[in-house]
Amino acid sequence: MVEQDYYELLGIQRGADDTAIKAAYRRLAKECHPDRHNGCRDQEARFKAISEAYDVLKDPQKRAAYDRFGKAAFQNGGGHDPFGSAGFEGFSDIFSTIFGEFMDPRGARQNAARGADLRYDVELTLEEAFTGIEKAITVEAQARCERCEGRGCTRSDQCANTCSTCNGMGKVRAQQGFFMVERGCPTCRGSGEVITDPCATCHGEGRAIAQRKLSVKIPAGVDEGTRIRVSGEGEAGIRGASSGDLYLFVHMKRHSIYAREGTTLIADCPITFTTAALGGAISLPGLDGEKVEIKIPPGVQSGEQLRHRGAGMSVLNGRGRGDMVARILVETPTRMSAKQKKLLEEFQETETGDECPAAKGFFGRVRDMFGG
Ligand SMILES: [Zn+2]
Ligand SMILES: [Zn+2]
């Protein structure tokens, strides 16, 4: 297949502007449109060729790639015609579907060489999650090579050549049955360039495993499973390509008093049965260091939840605080002095079913079942 230069095909100068390209294409397309030539194969081939040329030159990204690499920019290493027998009608669509990313050699290369994202698990106390905290962490991962400053070569002048396998694309294509398969270039490992004088420390990668100390700001209100993205602190990219991101995964340590449900702090509060009957108050330590006083109404039942608004957990990315909840557990005395026992026995003698509605109802149902 003899390949004609796109500019020549359209009969325009290399520096032609968009208007000139469009005008040239319109004129030629009208001239050789297949409808006018009743299926003449030569004219059809010509029409296909100028459509192809126009498709590339009208798009600044494709045009830049073409100016730099010629048609190789849109083909795999083997020089195979990637358009096959798709026909000119489908040309535009197929072009952008298959070659969308390929059109931007820098973009494709950046993707291939970008450093991987990293995960770091961090465990926080409830107090730390309440206030938010600046956490010092150490990450061991691919970092920019100190020796060559990430260039990958020892000399500071021109030290990389465009990879001949992939023409600098970082990717190669191969026909597999009906499909075009794209994969990272094995020669340059996706960078698009081959190092002529590789750095001894990083062997031309421009990065090496190193320990990095970081200080990461964790906002107030995070919870188990909260993910914090630290942009650009992941693995370094290959030879100066952009770094990946670091993701902090938050885990919560158990607290000695509080369980947590979202922004609600829940404390199981054992109280004596006399306090339950007579009422009183309990004092809980707030996470902000303030005492939280919770009133116990007379006659509170075991399992009842007493809420103190605004004394709970801070709200992530928001204002205010959740609630604090005291979950009441009424304790039955297991050891009593002789005096206490005597007082209770006297108390029991005064009891009637009326004083305890729940018991009255229950024993009523029991009596019904006995049939009396
Ligand atoms: Zn190096
Ligand atoms: Zn390559």
Side-chain angles (χ1 to χ4, degrees):
M1 186 170 123
V2 181
E3 285 188 351
Q4 216 183 330
D5 182 79
Y6 285 158
Y7 292 95
E8 275 176 35
L9 260 168
L10 295 180
I12 50 174
Q13 299 289 320
R14 288 196 84 80
D17 63 12
D18 289 354
T19 324
I21 293 171
K22 199 172 180 180
Y25 170 68
R26 279 215 172 145
R27 184 172 48 77
L28 290 169
K30 235 185 243 170
E31 229 173 66
C32 62
H33 196 278
D35 287 352
R36 293 181 58 169
H37 297 280
N38 207 12
C40 165
R41 290 194 72 83
D42 281 353
Q43 289 296 336
E44 190 178 310
R46 195 174 156 225
F47 183 73
K48 181 185 164 184
I50 63 163
S51 299
E52 186 186 310
Y54 178 62
D55 215 308
V56 170
L57 298 185
K58 74 172 187 201
D59 181 319
Q61 270 183 11
K62 292 177 189 172
R63 187 177 175 182
Y66 177 76
D67 286 344
R68 198 165 156 206
F69 301 110
K71 277 193 191 174
F74 315 119
Q75 290 167 353
N76 64 41
H80 172 88
D81 173 17
F83 310 117
S85 55
F88 59 83
E89 301 96 333
F91 181 76
S92 235
D93 280 352
I94 290 167
F95 210 89
S96 47
T97 314
I98 306 183
F99 299 95
E101 191 193 21
F102 213 52
M103 282 309 137
D104 180 5
R106 288 193 52 216
R109 248 160 46 189
Q110 279 287 318
N111 284 347
R114 181 184 185 267
D117 293 336
L118 294 177
R119 173 187 173 134
Y120 189 98
D121 291 273
V122 61
E123 203 179 36
L124 301 179
T125 64
L126 194 62
E127 285 83 358
E128 288 172 331
F130 174 74
T131 52
I133 188 175
E134 188 122 1
K135 204 83 173 159
I137 62 170
T138 306
V139 179
E140 191 174 295
Q142 293 281 6
R144 199 174 79 126
C145 175
E146 299 278 337
R147 182 166 172 170
C148 62
E149 294 172 321
R151 288 191 314 273
C153 44
T154 39
R155 289 178 298 130
S156 56
D157 54 342
Q158 177 76 31
C159 59
N161 289 336
T162 300
C163 171
S164 57
T165 307
C166 62
N167 291 313
M169 290 297 150
K171 292 179 181 179
V172 289
R173 297 170 170 282
Q175 182 88 26
Q176 235 172 55
F178 288 114
F179 303 101
M180 293 292 288
V181 178
E182 187 181 85
R183 60 194 163 86
C185 173
T187 309
C188 61
R189 296 176 62 196
S191 70
E193 290 178 322
V194 177
I195 296 290
T196 48
D197 187 14
C199 161
T201 304
C202 63
H203 307 290
E205 275 221 357
R207 60 178 189 176
I209 298 280
Q211 279 199 351
R212 274 184 301 138
K213 288 193 193 312
L214 288 172
S215 184
V216 183
K217 222 173 134 60
I218 298 171
V222 293
D223 200 351
E224 180 71 36
T226 304
R227 216 175 63 161
I228 300 161
R229 177 166 163 259
V230 190
S231 182
E233 292 293 357
E235 253 187 33
I238 295 172
R239 292 201 295 113
S242 56
S243 298
D245 298 329
L246 174 71
Y247 287 93
L248 245 66
F249 283 69
V250 173
H251 301 284
M252 297 301 302
K253 280 184 187 150
R254 268 185 96 87
H255 193 266
S256 59
I257 294 177
Y258 298 112
R260 178 178 175 186
E261 276 174 22
T263 57
T264 306
L265 296 176
I266 302 161
D268 281 332
C269 303
I271 58 171
T272 63
F273 75 111
T274 46
T275 305
L278 301 171
I282 34 173
S283 182
L284 288 166
L287 291 180
D288 56 1
E290 298 288 313
K291 265 189 192 170
V292 180
E293 199 83 14
I294 295 183
K295 273 210 175 74
I296 298 170
V300 75
Q301 300 294 318
S302 210
E304 217 167 286
Q305 300 198 347
L306 306 175
R307 189 172 291 266
H308 193 290
R309 299 218 176 267
M313 204 56 195
S314 17
V315 178
L316 181 63
N317 303 324
R319 288 153 168 262
R321 293 166 64 179
D323 301 339
M324 188 181 282
V325 165
R327 194 153 54 192
I328 298 301
L329 298 170
V330 178
E331 289 203 320
T332 309
T334 48
R335 273 183 299 179
M336 285 182 285
S337 66
K339 190 187 172 195
Q340 286 174 324
K341 205 174 169 195
K342 193 165 178 291
L343 284 170
L344 272 183
E345 281 165 354
E346 280 175 27
F347 177 77
Q348 193 178 33
E349 281 162 22
T350 66
E351 276 185 324
T352 65
D354 294 339
E355 283 160 22
C356 185
K360 191 183 170 194
F362 174 75
F363 288 113
R365 291 197 295 283
V366 169
R367 263 196 309 278
D368 290 346
M369 283 183 75
F370 280 128

